[in-house]
Amino acid sequence: MYRSEILEELFRDIFYPRYHTVLEGGAEEPVYLPGEDGTGAPHRIVYSRDYFRSALHEVAHWCVAGRHRRTLEDYGYWYAPDGRDAAQQSLFARVEASPQALEALFCAACGHDFRVSMDNLNGDEAARRLEAAFAEQVYRRARRYLEEGLPARPLAWCQALAVCFNTGWNGGAESLDRVYIFPASVTE
């Protein structure tokens, strides 16, 4: 049911005509590659392997990126690989809160479980302790998106996901609450 190829087709149907952007899997590491002027090559949102959640996450980054950032490889953002210390992880969390909040809403729209990702399996203990606070931050941001109204691109994506996966998503918080899985440290 949750096959990433479905997302690729759906994304193309919804966004290619206006944004000349495609979603494609198969990469070891996700990356955004802007198209080259004059070549006709589309902008490419490349996600990890065939991972459904990776595709949703990368679409979330695209939805957050403004017009200028969508002209830059990986939107011009800083990225430090796995093994970040607490200070680097705190910076990661500031940059990731909005995309992961959108990803949570995308999961809600298609009925797929959502867990935050600290993307730092080999980080130090202080960095790993930030997960519970980050999960709360992402949840609050997702709720704020629902209360204030989603911007056009994420709203269109949520609506398309809801139709495709027949979830009946209506932008209500109850759909977020059904799929959002907090870390054990939050629920204990």
Side-chain angles (χ1 to χ4, degrees), residues 5-141:
E5 300 83 23
I6 294 169
L7 298 178
E8 291 177 21
E9 293 171 25
L10 187 61
F11 188 90
R12 181 179 278 276
D13 290 347
I14 303 301
F15 295 115
Y16 186 81
R18 180 167 181 193
Y19 296 100
H20 198 62
T21 303
V22 297
L23 177 65
E24 60 185 50
E28 284 298 312
E29 291 292 327
V31 66
Y32 171 76
L33 301 168
E36 296 180 31
D37 289 337
T39 67
H43 307 292
R44 296 171 45 221
I45 303 168
V46 184
Y47 61 94
S48 295
R49 297 176 182 83
D50 63 350
Y51 299 158
F52 188 87
R53 283 279 310 280
S54 177
L56 291 177
H57 182 77
E58 296 311 314
V59 171
H61 273 290
W62 178 79
C63 285
V64 169
R67 184 183 309 251
H68 174 70
R69 287 225 181 252
R70 293 192 312 268
T71 67
L72 306 172
E73 183 171 328
D74 248 356
Y75 313 107
Y77 286 120
W78 157 90
Y79 180 77
D82 191 358
R84 293 183 290 274
D85 62 25
Q88 292 171 316
Q89 194 63 18
S90 180
L91 179 58
F92 170 86
R94 280 197 305 274
V95 172
E96 279 289 309
S98 286
Q100 288 201 32
L102 287 178
E103 179 187 352
L105 295 175
F106 299 162
C107 285
C110 65
H112 193 284
D113 287 347
F114 173 81
R115 289 177 178 85
V116 295
S117 172
M118 295 298 285
D119 192 29
N120 197 30
L121 299 174
N122 297 313
D124 64 23
E125 184 60 33
R128 286 192 294 278
R129 283 194 303 268
L130 296 172
E131 183 179 22
F134 180 61
E136 285 288 341
Q137 179 184 5
V138 169
Y139 180 79
R140 284 193 310 273
R141 181 65 184 113

